[in-house]
Every structure is written in structure tokens, then in C-alpha cells.
Amino acid sequence: MKLNQNDPNKINLVPTVMFVDMNSYFASCEQQVNYWLRDRPVGVCVYTGRGGAVIALSKAAKKLGIKPARADEIMKKFPQFITLPTNPALYRQFHVKIMKVLQQYSTDVIPKSIDEAVVNFAGYHLVYKDLEAIAREIKQKIKTEVGDYLTCSIGIAPNAFLAKLATDIKKPDGLLVISPENIDQVLEPLMLTDLPGIAKNMAWKLVSHGINSPLQLRYTEPHLLRKACHSIIGEYWHYRLNFREVDISTDEYKSMQAMRQVSKAQRASIDTLMDILRALCLQLEKRMMRHSLRAHFLGYNFYYEDGFAFSDKFRTNIPLQDGIEIMNIILDRIKIAEQEKGDIVIINNGIISMGVFITEFQDAGIIQLALWDNKFKEDNLRKVIYSIKDKFG
């Protein structure tokens, strides 16, 4: 393995991160509550008119080879195809139940989207001797406590990226563990674009520098990958494939970051992209709240399918903790940047990766009370809310 084992950032070689990815989630929720729809080719649409875009497909539809497209185009070839309007309230209802199941096993559960979550089992080695057995137990509990028609793919690995990759490899209803012992065998048959977050343009950049496969990517030196990608994101690919955690921050007191790879289906909806950005900001809020910290320095970055990137970083006079406040500041800065440049839309359907990071922390407990009375009230309310969420879901 090429990664320097003396690196100051801890590298976890034990598979302790579990990624849970619900299969065909929107369609499966509809089929869970409507027995007649089960085992049929179903598509969930933004709207069900002729030009309505299908954003989610059932497992039966995928088996037929149906891809997301306009509903009328699909129905010309597959007249048995059934379209349904989106039902966000239903999907949220099942999401809450799924999170409650996961929280029975670990206190460190991070929802990545409405149908995905990371469960961190670091520190649970004395409680759970066999995470594969726990994964099978979780699968069964989702069926018995949430819905008998709902299935999920589960990946287990030393970091979140490899755990996510494992779920992509074993779909639907799969279970795969990636470890130092089998990672080369797992990567060997894959193409670069099989890795979450690598689209055609990024793959072209890598191939043009002689990197033709995920296995080669794993064994290419970080500085060469940075040169190939014209960005530090190249180094991140090396780190991910060599077990370092770059998608869930492991050094919370110096800096915190929350990153997310965005699938093709997710970037089809601007609302979904906004939901992901909100989730990233709230994830950082939760970490700061747990450690009684506020941040002065914020940054964010978006990477796009065409190989371009947009990033911004700035310092605030007022230290922040509230996730929605952080998100609103980011959106204000995006709006200003769009107005200045005049010809760009920063949050668009080409995004393949999003990240938010914070640093320059201040202890929230030593801020002058006279100046920050309202902030203290907000912090106390936030602590109460999180304690209620931890207890009741």
C-alpha cells in the first residue's frame, strides 16, 4: 500500500464504517403502501404529464433496462410502465423509521440523503464482534419494523467511500465487506466511472495521464493524481482507496468537513441538491454543538461532471454554529458570485460532488454573555432539540 503509515492523520484499516443504501427507494415506498404496484415497472415522476421526467425507478423497471427519461418516451417502448407523482411526505415517514432502526445499533448515524446513511461502529468492537451479522440483522429489522417490501444494500469498509462503493457493487439487497485483504480483488474488474464521483470527464483526465483503472488509481502517488486532476481532489482519490477517511472528518478540533458524492439521479433535481447542501451544513452543526464550538472560517466547493470546480472560502466576524445560518450565508455568497460573473448557475445539474468545511474554532462556552445572550438561548435550544432527536428519533 502506497499510503504513508506515519501520516499524522489516523488511518483505520479495520472495516468499522457501514453504508446503508435503500434500493429503488421512492418506488419501493410506493409499492410498500400499494400492494398492486409490487413487482411492476414503476417510475416516480416530478409530474405525470407527457413530458414528466422520471426520477426514480422500481427494481422491476430496472430489470427491464428502463433508464430515467421522459415518461412518454419510456411508455412508447414499455406500455406496461406505470407512472406515479412524487410523495415526499411518505418518503420522509419511512426515512424516520429507517433511521430509528440504525440508531438501535450506534449513536453515530449520519444520514447522507433520504435513502442513504453512514453508521460509524468505531469504538463498538467489544459490543459487536461480527458486523456482517449485524448488517444481516439490520436488513431483517428494516423488513419487520419499517416495511416488508423495502430492501437495502449494505457496504462495510474502513472508510465511508469504500463502504458506499460496496453498496454500488452489490445491488439490489447486497452485502459486501471491503478490507485491506480483498480491496485489490474488488477494484480489479471495475472501470474508473464505476467509482462514485468519477464521471466521464474526470475519467478522461486520469486516462490521459496513464491511469486507466481504479486499481492503478489506488497505487498512483498522491502528487501525480493532484497533477492529473489539476486539484487536491486527485489526492483524495488516493486517500479514499487507501483507507483514509476524507468524507467524514476525523480531526474535528482543527477543522471539520462534510463531503458528499452526488449520483446522476440526485443531481437531476435542484431541490435534492439543496437538500444535500442543507444536510452537510446540519452535519457540521451537530459536530460543533457536541464539542461546544463555533467557527469563524467557512468554505465550500462543488465539482462538476465536465471537470470544472467552484470553490469559495471566507471568514466571518461572528463565529457560527447554526447549520441553516451557515447554509444561508453560502447561498447569499453564491448569489453574489452569480451576479458578478453573469453567465453561470453554480448549483446546477452537473454537480458530482459537494463539500463544506469549517475551521478557526472558538469555544462557545467562553463568549461574552452580555454580547451573546440570544446566541446562548439558541445554543441551549439546539442542545434540547438534539437530545430529543437522540432519544426519540
Side-chain angles (χ1 to χ4, degrees), residues 6-26:
N6 295 318
D7 190 278
N9 291 320
K10 183 179 179 181
I11 303 167
N12 176 32
L13 299 179
V14 179
T16 58
V17 179
M18 182 181 292
F19 199 101
V20 180
D21 185 355
M22 302 303 299
N23 303 138
S24 302
Y25 182 64
F26 289 1

Side-chain angles (χ1 to χ4, degrees), residues 22-32 34-45 54-69 74 78 80-84 91 115 149-151 171-173 265:
M22 302 303 299
N23 303 138
S24 302
Y25 182 64
F26 289 1
S28 294
C29 289
E30 301 288 354
Q31 292 169 312
Q32 177 62 43
N34 188 337
Y35 189 85
W36 182 84
L37 294 173
R38 296 187 179 187
D39 301 322
R40 295 175 182 268
V42 171
V44 176
C45 306
V54 176
I55 61 171
L57 295 162
S58 68
K59 285 172 281 196
K62 292 175 182 177
K63 284 182 180 179
L64 290 174
I66 299 174
K67 304 292 184 183
I74 295 174
F78 301 95
Q80 73 273 38
F81 186 65
I82 302 167
T83 60
L84 299 170
Y91 313 146
D115 62 342
Y149 201 75
L150 301 179
T151 63
K171 281 187 177 182
D173 202 19

Side-chain angles (χ1 to χ4, degrees), residues 194-209:
D194 291 328
L195 298 182
I198 294 188
K200 290 182 180 179
N201 285 316
M202 178 65 73
W204 180 85
K205 287 183 180 180
L206 294 169
V207 171
S208 67
H209 283 75

Side-chain angles (χ1 to χ4, degrees), residues 113-132:
S113 67
I114 198 167
D115 62 342
E116 297 176 329
V118 172
V119 188
N120 189 359
F121 285 97
Y124 283 81
H125 60 282
L126 296 178
V127 180
Y128 305 121
K129 302 295 185 182
D130 184 353
L131 282 187
E132 286 188 75

Side-chain angles (χ1 to χ4, degrees), residues 221-370:
E221 294 289 350
H223 70 279
L224 297 176
L225 289 174
R226 183 168 188 158
K227 181 179 178 181
C229 297
H230 307 292
S231 162
I232 195 173
I233 195 171
E235 291 186 25
Y236 288 164
W237 291 116
H238 175 86
Y239 298 149
R240 290 182 178 110
L241 295 177
N242 286 280
F243 310 110
R244 185 186 295 179
E245 184 62 83
V246 298
D247 298 294
I248 303 175
S249 175
T250 57
D251 190 8
E252 294 187 325
Y253 288 95
K254 293 180 181 178
S255 65
M256 301 182 193
Q257 63 176 344
M259 298 179 65
R260 174 69 191 276
Q261 305 301 318
V262 181
S263 70
K264 183 176 180 180
Q266 290 166 338
R267 63 178 178 264
S269 167
I270 299 300
D271 286 343
T272 300
L273 293 174
M274 297 296 288
D275 286 342
I276 293 172
L277 178 60
R278 183 183 301 108
L280 295 176
C281 294
L282 290 174
Q283 185 177 331
L284 295 176
E285 172 193 292
K286 185 174 183 179
R287 293 178 190 169
M288 285 191 286
M289 185 274 299
R290 283 180 173 175
H291 296 293
S292 189
L293 297 173
R294 288 178 170 274
H296 273 289
F297 194 87
L298 312 178
Y300 59 95
N301 49 61
F302 303 135
Y303 295 93
Y304 303 88
E305 189 175 14
D306 59 9
F308 287 97
F310 180 86
S311 63
D312 181 24
K313 54 187 178 181
F314 53 95
R315 195 178 191 279
T316 64
N317 292 326
I318 300 174
L320 303 173
Q321 187 184 73
D322 184 87
I324 300 302
E325 188 175 4
I326 291 172
M327 179 181 176
N328 287 335
I329 291 174
I330 290 173
L331 292 177
D332 286 343
R333 289 184 67 88
I334 286 174
K335 185 177 180 180
I336 292 170
E338 289 176 337
Q339 290 172 345
E340 290 177 348
K341 296 183 181 295
D343 59 348
I344 64 168
V345 176
I346 293 171
I347 299 181
N348 64 52
N349 302 114
I351 289 178
I352 61 171
S353 175
M354 307 173 71
V356 181
F357 64 89
I358 50 179
T359 187
E360 290 191 21
F361 295 119
Q362 180 175 351
D363 189 331
I366 61 173
I367 300 172
Q368 294 182 23
L369 182 60

Side-chain angles (χ1 to χ4, degrees), residues 18-187:
M18 182 181 292
F19 199 101
V20 180
D21 185 355
M22 302 303 299
N23 303 138
S24 302
Y25 182 64
F26 289 1
S28 294
C29 289
E30 301 288 354
Q31 292 169 312
Q32 177 62 43
V33 299
N34 188 337
Y35 189 85
W36 182 84
L37 294 173
R38 296 187 179 187
D39 301 322
R40 295 175 182 268
V42 171
V44 176
C45 306
V46 176
Y47 69 97
T48 54
R50 281 191 60 144
V54 176
I55 61 171
L57 295 162
S58 68
K59 285 172 281 196
K62 292 175 182 177
K63 284 182 180 179
L64 290 174
I66 299 174
K67 304 292 184 183
R70 282 178 34 159
D72 56 347
E73 293 176 355
I74 295 174
M75 295 183 74
K76 286 177 183 177
K77 188 174 181 180
F78 301 95
Q80 73 273 38
F81 186 65
I82 302 167
T83 60
L84 299 170
T86 56
N87 188 350
L90 177 66
Y91 313 146
R92 286 195 295 269
Q93 175 185 340
F94 281 114
H95 169 80
V96 170
K97 292 180 180 179
I98 292 165
M99 293 305 108
K100 285 183 178 179
V101 169
L102 300 180
Q103 288 163 357
Q104 294 175 27
Y105 295 89
S106 172
T107 59
D108 194 357
V109 177
I110 304 171
K112 303 298 286 186
S113 67
I114 198 167
D115 62 342
E116 297 176 329
V118 172
V119 188
N120 189 359
F121 285 97
Y124 283 81
H125 60 282
L126 296 178
V127 180
Y128 305 121
K129 302 295 185 182
D130 184 353
L131 282 187
E132 286 188 75
I134 295 301
R136 288 190 285 271
E137 189 175 310
I138 287 173
K139 283 172 169 284
Q140 186 57 39
K141 275 206 171 185
I142 288 174
K143 283 186 171 293
T144 56
E145 297 184 12
V146 183
D148 65 314
Y149 201 75
L150 301 179
T151 63
C152 65
S153 295
I154 296 181
I156 304 170
N159 64 27
F161 174 81
L162 290 173
K164 165 63 175 171
L165 176 63
T167 67
D168 290 343
I169 293 172
K170 291 288 187 180
K171 281 187 177 182
D173 202 19
L175 171 58
L176 177 64
V177 178
I178 296 179
S179 68
E181 290 73 30
N182 73 347
I183 185 169
D184 285 358
Q185 289 75 22
V186 169
L187 295 178

